[in-house]
Amino acid sequence: MSKVYPGRNIEFNPESRVVFTSCSLKLTGMADESLFDFLHMEIVSHIYKEQQSSKGEMDNKDRAVCVSVLESMGFRVGQGLIERLTRDSASFKDELDVMKFVCKDFWTKVFRRQVDNLRTNHQGTYVLQDNKFSLLTQLSSGKQYLDQAPKYLAFSCGVVRGALSNLGLDSVVTAEVSVMPSCKFQVVIQKL
């Protein structure tokens, strides 16, 4: 049973422990950044716990389902964010121009800093290097959590893929971590 808090536009469902709000949030300050980081970690944790509770032990197929759910959520978020950011922008002249926008303006709005390095083979493959990826900085810098990093990157891959999709570029986005909190996102543009 949901409990509604009148006048506050908040609904709390204790069974799923999810809070719904009809107000729009603007991330502006340090507290908001921490709130987003915490919310992201809780969403990842919730998705994995839901999958594990229905099966007990998780195998690779279960992990793939979790990654797919997180990536899909990120895709929709990326679509919405890029719509807002490009509302008053001129159109982009080419694929590289789109990627530069994603690495500078979009990345700054979403992850609070620009990409450290953008590389391309000029054949539709781009590598975005972020040496202090914000969603990994909350995890330890040691190698002990390196195997946990991929599940915290699925949402971000979806965000990037969703943004590119709304800009007219179908893509496959993957991420890899070799040293925390540094991360490389590989974007492969799908040619039709």
Side-chain angles (χ1 to χ4, degrees), residues 116-161:
D116 293 305
N117 194 357
L118 169 64
R119 293 182 182 201
T120 182
N121 65 358
H122 298 287
Q123 296 176 2
T125 301
Y126 299 86
V127 177
L128 291 66
Q129 173 81 35
D130 190 332
N131 294 327
K132 287 177 131 179
F133 188 61
S134 62
L135 297 179
L136 292 179
T137 56
Q138 301 300 321
L139 300 175
S140 175
S141 296
K143 291 189 181 265
Q144 67 196 41
Y145 294 109
L146 203 54
D147 62 329
Q148 297 293 314
K151 69 183 180 184
Y152 293 101
L153 298 172
F155 181 82
S156 303
C157 289
V159 168
V160 173
R161 193 173 71 82

Coordinates of all heavy atoms in Angstrom, one line a residue, residues 116-161:
D116 N 38.5 13.5 -20.4 CA 40.0 13.9 -20.4 C 40.6 13.7 -21.8 O 41.5 14.4 -22.2 CB 40.7 13.0 -19.4 CG 40.3 13.4 -18.0 OD1 40.4 14.6 -17.6 OD2 39.9 12.5 -17.2
N117 N 40.1 12.7 -22.5 CA 40.7 12.4 -23.8 C 39.6 11.8 -24.8 O 38.9 10.9 -24.3 CB 41.9 11.4 -23.6 CG 42.8 11.3 -24.8 OD1 42.5 11.9 -25.9 ND2 43.8 10.5 -24.7
L118 N 39.6 12.2 -26.0 CA 38.8 11.6 -27.0 C 39.7 11.2 -28.2 O 40.5 11.9 -28.7 CB 37.8 12.6 -27.6 CG 37.0 12.2 -28.8 CD1 36.1 11.0 -28.6 CD2 36.2 13.4 -29.4
R119 N 39.6 9.9 -28.5 CA 40.3 9.3 -29.6 C 39.4 8.7 -30.6 O 38.3 8.2 -30.2 CB 41.3 8.3 -29.1 CG 42.4 8.9 -28.3 CD 43.4 7.9 -27.9 NE 44.4 8.5 -27.0 CZ 45.6 8.0 -26.8 NH1 46.0 6.9 -27.4 NH2 46.4 8.7 -26.0
T120 N 39.8 8.7 -31.9 CA 39.0 8.1 -32.9 C 39.9 7.5 -34.0 O 41.0 7.9 -34.2 CB 38.0 9.1 -33.5 OG1 37.2 8.4 -34.5 CG2 38.7 10.3 -34.2
N121 N 39.3 6.5 -34.7 CA 40.0 5.9 -35.8 C 39.5 6.5 -37.1 O 39.8 6.0 -38.2 CB 40.0 4.4 -35.8 CG 38.5 3.9 -36.0 OD1 37.6 4.6 -36.1 ND2 38.4 2.5 -36.0
H122 N 38.5 7.4 -37.0 CA 37.9 8.1 -38.1 C 37.1 7.1 -39.0 O 36.8 7.3 -40.2 CB 38.9 8.9 -39.0 CG 39.5 10.0 -38.3 ND1 38.9 11.1 -37.9 CD2 40.8 10.1 -37.8 CE1 39.7 11.9 -37.3 NE2 40.8 11.3 -37.1
Q123 N 36.7 5.9 -38.4 CA 35.9 4.9 -39.1 C 34.7 4.5 -38.2 O 34.2 3.4 -38.3 CB 36.7 3.7 -39.4 CG 37.8 4.0 -40.4 CD 38.7 2.8 -40.7 OE1 38.5 1.7 -40.1 NE2 39.7 3.0 -41.5
G124 N 34.3 5.5 -37.3 CA 33.1 5.2 -36.5 C 33.4 4.7 -35.1 O 32.5 4.4 -34.4
T125 N 34.7 4.6 -34.7 CA 35.0 4.1 -33.3 C 35.6 5.2 -32.6 O 36.6 5.9 -33.0 CB 35.9 2.9 -33.4 OG1 35.3 1.8 -34.1 CG2 36.3 2.4 -32.0
Y126 N 35.1 5.5 -31.4 CA 35.6 6.6 -30.5 C 35.9 6.0 -29.1 O 35.1 5.1 -28.6 CB 34.6 7.7 -30.4 CG 34.2 8.3 -31.7 CD1 33.2 7.8 -32.5 CD2 34.9 9.4 -32.1 CE1 32.9 8.4 -33.7 CE2 34.6 10.0 -33.3 CZ 33.6 9.5 -34.1 OH 33.3 10.0 -35.3
V127 N 37.0 6.5 -28.5 CA 37.3 6.1 -27.1 C 37.3 7.3 -26.3 O 38.1 8.3 -26.6 CB 38.6 5.3 -27.0 CG1 39.0 5.0 -25.6 CG2 38.6 4.1 -27.9
L128 N 36.5 7.4 -25.3 CA 36.4 8.5 -24.4 C 37.0 8.1 -23.0 O 36.6 7.1 -22.4 CB 34.9 8.9 -24.1 CG 34.1 9.5 -25.2 CD1 33.9 8.5 -26.4 CD2 32.8 10.0 -24.7
Q129 N 38.1 8.8 -22.7 CA 38.8 8.5 -21.4 C 38.4 9.5 -20.3 O 38.6 10.7 -20.6 CB 40.3 8.6 -21.7 CG 41.2 8.4 -20.5 CD 41.4 7.0 -20.1 OE1 41.5 6.1 -20.9 NE2 41.5 6.8 -18.8
D130 N 38.0 9.0 -19.2 CA 37.7 9.9 -18.0 C 38.5 9.3 -16.9 O 38.3 8.2 -16.4 CB 36.2 9.8 -17.7 CG 35.8 10.9 -16.7 OD1 36.7 11.2 -15.8 OD2 34.6 11.3 -16.7
N131 N 39.5 10.1 -16.5 CA 40.5 9.6 -15.5 C 39.9 9.7 -14.0 O 40.5 9.1 -13.1 CB 41.8 10.4 -15.6 CG 42.5 10.2 -16.9 OD1 42.4 9.1 -17.4 ND2 43.1 11.2 -17.4
K132 N 38.8 10.4 -13.8 CA 38.2 10.5 -12.5 C 36.7 10.4 -12.7 O 36.0 11.3 -12.4 CB 38.6 11.8 -11.8 CG 40.0 11.9 -11.3 CD 40.2 13.2 -10.7 CE 40.8 13.1 -9.3 NZ 41.1 14.4 -8.7
F133 N 36.3 9.3 -13.2 CA 34.8 9.1 -13.5 C 34.0 9.2 -12.2 O 34.2 8.5 -11.2 CB 34.6 7.8 -14.2 CG 33.2 7.7 -14.7 CD1 32.7 8.6 -15.6 CD2 32.3 6.7 -14.2 CE1 31.4 8.5 -16.1 CE2 31.1 6.5 -14.7 CZ 30.6 7.4 -15.6
S134 N 33.1 10.2 -12.2 CA 32.4 10.5 -10.9 C 31.6 9.4 -10.3 O 31.5 9.3 -9.1 CB 31.4 11.7 -11.2 OG 30.5 11.3 -12.2
L135 N 31.1 8.5 -11.1 CA 30.3 7.4 -10.5 C 31.2 6.2 -10.0 O 30.7 5.3 -9.4 CB 29.3 6.8 -11.5 CG 28.2 7.9 -11.9 CD1 27.3 7.3 -12.9 CD2 27.5 8.4 -10.7
L136 N 32.5 6.3 -10.2 CA 33.4 5.3 -9.6 C 34.2 5.9 -8.5 O 34.9 5.1 -7.8 CB 34.4 4.8 -10.7 CG 33.8 4.0 -11.8 CD1 34.8 3.5 -12.8 CD2 33.0 2.7 -11.3
T137 N 34.2 7.2 -8.3 CA 35.1 7.8 -7.2 C 34.6 7.4 -5.8 O 35.3 7.5 -4.9 CB 35.1 9.3 -7.4 OG1 33.8 9.9 -7.4 CG2 35.9 9.7 -8.6
Q138 N 33.3 7.0 -5.7 CA 32.8 6.6 -4.4 C 33.3 5.2 -4.0 O 33.2 4.9 -2.8 CB 31.2 6.6 -4.5 CG 30.6 7.9 -4.8 CD 31.0 9.0 -3.9 OE1 31.0 8.8 -2.7 NE2 31.2 10.2 -4.4
L139 N 33.7 4.5 -5.0 CA 34.3 3.1 -4.7 C 35.8 3.3 -4.3 O 36.4 4.3 -4.7 CB 34.1 2.2 -5.9 CG 32.7 1.9 -6.3 CD1 32.7 1.1 -7.6 CD2 31.9 1.3 -5.3
S140 N 36.3 2.3 -3.7 CA 37.7 2.4 -3.3 C 38.6 2.4 -4.5 O 38.3 1.9 -5.6 CB 38.1 1.1 -2.5 OG 39.5 1.1 -2.2
S141 N 39.8 3.1 -4.4 CA 40.7 3.2 -5.5 C 41.5 1.9 -5.7 O 42.2 1.7 -6.7 CB 41.7 4.3 -5.3 OG 40.9 5.5 -5.3
G142 N 41.5 1.0 -4.8 CA 42.3 -0.2 -4.9 C 41.7 -1.2 -5.9 O 40.6 -1.1 -6.4
K143 N 42.5 -2.3 -6.1 CA 42.0 -3.3 -7.0 C 40.9 -4.2 -6.5 O 40.3 -5.0 -7.2 CB 43.2 -4.2 -7.4 CG 44.2 -3.4 -8.3 CD 45.3 -4.3 -8.8 CE 46.3 -3.5 -9.7 NZ 46.0 -3.5 -11.1
Q144 N 40.6 -4.1 -5.2 CA 39.7 -5.0 -4.6 C 38.3 -4.9 -5.1 O 37.5 -5.8 -5.1 CB 39.7 -4.9 -3.1 CG 39.2 -3.5 -2.6 CD 39.5 -3.2 -1.2 OE1 40.6 -3.5 -0.7 NE2 38.6 -2.7 -0.4
Y145 N 37.9 -3.7 -5.6 CA 36.6 -3.4 -6.1 C 36.6 -3.4 -7.7 O 35.5 -3.0 -8.3 CB 36.0 -2.1 -5.6 CG 35.7 -2.2 -4.1 CD1 36.5 -1.5 -3.2 CD2 34.7 -3.0 -3.6 CE1 36.3 -1.6 -1.8 CE2 34.5 -3.2 -2.2 CZ 35.3 -2.4 -1.3 OH 35.1 -2.5 0.0
L146 N 37.6 -3.7 -8.3 CA 37.7 -3.6 -9.8 C 36.7 -4.5 -10.5 O 36.1 -4.1 -11.5 CB 39.2 -4.0 -10.2 CG 39.6 -3.5 -11.5 CD1 39.5 -2.0 -11.7 CD2 41.1 -3.9 -11.8
D147 N 36.4 -5.7 -9.9 CA 35.5 -6.6 -10.5 C 34.0 -6.1 -10.3 O 33.1 -6.5 -11.0 CB 35.6 -8.0 -9.9 CG 35.4 -8.0 -8.4 OD1 35.6 -7.1 -7.7 OD2 34.9 -9.1 -7.9
Q148 N 33.8 -5.1 -9.4 CA 32.5 -4.6 -9.1 C 32.2 -3.4 -10.1 O 31.0 -3.0 -10.2 CB 32.3 -4.1 -7.7 CG 32.4 -5.2 -6.7 CD 31.3 -6.2 -6.8 OE1 30.1 -5.8 -6.9 NE2 31.5 -7.5 -6.8
A149 N 33.2 -2.8 -10.6 CA 33.1 -1.5 -11.4 C 32.1 -1.7 -12.6 O 31.3 -0.8 -12.8 CB 34.4 -1.1 -11.9
P150 N 32.1 -2.8 -13.4 CA 31.2 -2.8 -14.5 C 29.7 -2.6 -14.3 O 29.0 -2.0 -15.0 CB 31.5 -4.2 -15.1 CG 32.9 -4.5 -14.7 CD 33.0 -3.9 -13.3
K151 N 29.3 -3.1 -13.1 CA 27.8 -2.9 -12.9 C 27.5 -1.4 -12.6 O 26.4 -1.0 -12.8 CB 27.4 -3.8 -11.7 CG 27.9 -3.5 -10.4 CD 27.3 -4.6 -9.4 CE 27.8 -4.4 -8.0 NZ 27.3 -5.4 -7.1
Y152 N 28.5 -0.6 -12.2 CA 28.2 0.8 -12.0 C 28.4 1.6 -13.2 O 28.2 2.8 -13.2 CB 29.1 1.3 -10.8 CG 28.8 0.7 -9.5 CD1 29.5 -0.3 -9.0 CD2 27.7 1.1 -8.8 CE1 29.2 -0.9 -7.8 CE2 27.3 0.6 -7.6 CZ 28.1 -0.5 -7.1 OH 27.7 -1.0 -5.9
L153 N 28.8 1.0 -14.3 CA 29.0 1.7 -15.6 C 27.9 1.4 -16.6 O 27.8 2.2 -17.6 CB 30.3 1.3 -16.2 CG 31.5 1.6 -15.4 CD1 32.8 1.0 -16.0 CD2 31.7 3.1 -15.2
A154 N 27.0 0.4 -16.4 CA 26.0 0.1 -17.3 C 25.0 1.3 -17.5 O 24.6 1.6 -18.7 CB 25.2 -1.1 -16.8
F155 N 24.6 1.9 -16.5 CA 23.7 3.0 -16.6 C 24.3 4.1 -17.4 O 23.7 4.7 -18.3 CB 23.3 3.6 -15.2 CG 22.4 4.7 -15.2 CD1 21.0 4.5 -15.3 CD2 22.8 6.0 -15.0 CE1 20.1 5.6 -15.3 CE2 22.0 7.1 -15.0 CZ 20.6 6.9 -15.1
S156 N 25.6 4.4 -17.2 CA 26.3 5.5 -17.9 C 26.4 5.2 -19.4 O 26.3 6.1 -20.2 CB 27.7 5.7 -17.3 OG 27.5 6.0 -15.9
C157 N 26.7 3.9 -19.7 CA 26.7 3.5 -21.1 C 25.4 3.8 -21.8 O 25.3 4.2 -22.9 CB 27.1 2.0 -21.2 SG 28.8 1.7 -20.8
G158 N 24.3 3.5 -21.1 CA 23.0 3.7 -21.6 C 22.7 5.2 -21.8 O 22.1 5.6 -22.8
V159 N 23.2 6.0 -20.9 CA 23.0 7.5 -21.0 C 23.7 8.0 -22.3 O 23.1 8.7 -23.0 CB 23.6 8.2 -19.7 CG1 23.7 9.7 -20.0 CG2 22.7 7.9 -18.5
V160 N 24.9 7.6 -22.5 CA 25.6 8.0 -23.7 C 25.0 7.5 -25.0 O 24.8 8.2 -25.9 CB 27.1 7.5 -23.6 CG1 27.8 7.8 -24.9 CG2 27.8 8.2 -22.5
R161 N 24.6 6.2 -25.0 CA 23.9 5.6 -26.1 C 22.6 6.3 -26.4 O 22.2 6.6 -27.6 CB 23.7 4.1 -25.9 CG 23.3 3.4 -27.2 CD 23.3 1.9 -27.0 NE 22.2 1.4 -26.2 CZ 20.9 1.2 -26.6 NH1 20.6 1.4 -27.9 NH2 20.0 0.8 -25.8

